[in-house]
C-alpha cells in the first residue's frame, strides 16, 4: 500500500531542477535514491539540511524523496534546499517568515544564469587579444 503524499514541490537553481515528494515517515532524506548521508560532500549536505532545522518536529516525522538533475554539485544542493524550504513554508506561515528572514533566496528563488558565449570572443565578455605588430 502506498503512503499518503503530502505534496510535491520544486526548487530551481541555475540549470538544476529538484522535484520533492513529502510523505509521512521517519525523517529520511533520499536524493536520487541515495540517502543524504552518502550524497555529495559535507558542504552540499549542510546546504540541503539548512531549511530542515526550522521545523525539526516535522522533519523527524516525514520522509523527503527528491529527484534532481542538471547543473553542478552546489547548484544541485541549492535546488534541493529550495524545494525543501518551499515545502516547509507551505506548512505554516511562521516557518515561512523564519526562512525568509534567514535567507530569502530559499523561498523566492535566484534568477541569475550564466551569460551565453558570444561569437568571435573567447567567452561571454572577453575579446580576443589584438596585436598591432
Amino acid at each position: 500500500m502506498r503512503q499518503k503524499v503530502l505534496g510535491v514541490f520544486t526548487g530551481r537553481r541555475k540549470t538544476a531542477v529538484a522535484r520533492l515528494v513529502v510523505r509521512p515517515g521517519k525523517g529520511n532524506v533520499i536524493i536520487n535514491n541515495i540517502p543524504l548521508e552518502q550524497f555529495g560532500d559535507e558542504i552540499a549536505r549542510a546546504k540541503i539540511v539548512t531549511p530542515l532545522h526550522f521545523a525539526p518536529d516535522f522533519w523527524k516525522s516525514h520522509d523527503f524523496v527528491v529527484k534532481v538533475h542538471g547543473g553542478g554539485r552546489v547548484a544541485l544542493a541549492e535546488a534541493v534546499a529550495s524545494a525543501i524550504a518551499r515545502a516547509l513554508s507551505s506548512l505554516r506561515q511562521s516557518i515561512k517568515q523564519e526562512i525568509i528572514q534567514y535567507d530569502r533566496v530559499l523561498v523566492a528563488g535566484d534568477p541569475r544564469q550564466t551569460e551565453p558565449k558570444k561569437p568571435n570572443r573567447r567567452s561571454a565578455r572577453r575579446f580576443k587579444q589584438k596585436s598591432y605588430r
Side-chain angles (χ1 to χ4, degrees):
M1 188 171 137
R2 297 187 116 184
Q3 291 180 334
K4 180 182 174 188
V5 174
L6 296 179
V8 178
F9 304 92
T10 60
R12 290 188 172 96
R13 177 69 175 104
K14 293 187 177 180
T15 57
V17 179
R19 290 186 303 263
L20 168 71
V21 177
V22 181
R23 295 187 176 114
K26 299 179 181 177
N28 298 325
V29 179
I30 299 169
I31 304 162
N32 291 344
N33 297 322
I34 299 171
L36 178 65
E37 295 78 28
Q38 298 174 356
F39 182 80
D41 57 352
E42 190 175 337
I43 295 170
R45 287 192 294 271
K47 281 185 180 289
I48 292 168
V49 172
T50 299
L52 292 171
H53 291 296
F54 291 103
D57 53 333
F58 185 78
W59 175 16
K60 300 300 181 193
S61 62
H62 291 82
D63 288 342
F64 299 87
V65 181
V66 185
K67 298 287 183 187
V68 61
H69 62 86
R73 293 180 302 174
V74 175
L76 289 172
E78 289 181 358
V80 172
S82 178
I84 292 171
R86 289 179 182 190
L88 294 177
S89 65
S90 71
L91 182 67
R92 281 193 297 242
Q93 189 66 25
S94 61
I95 293 175
K96 182 177 182 178
Q97 293 303 321
E98 288 179 35
I99 293 172
I100 288 174
Q101 191 174 11
Y102 176 76
D103 186 6
R104 182 180 175 277
V105 173
L106 286 173
V107 177
D110 193 352
R112 294 178 294 174
Q113 294 283 329
T114 56
E115 192 172 340
K117 184 187 176 299
K118 313 297 186 302
N120 298 324
R121 295 189 191 176
R122 289 186 175 179
S123 64
R125 298 195 177 186
R126 185 176 175 208
F127 286 89
K128 290 181 181 174
Q129 192 170 6
K130 192 172 181 181
S131 174
Y132 287 100
R133 295 190 182 121

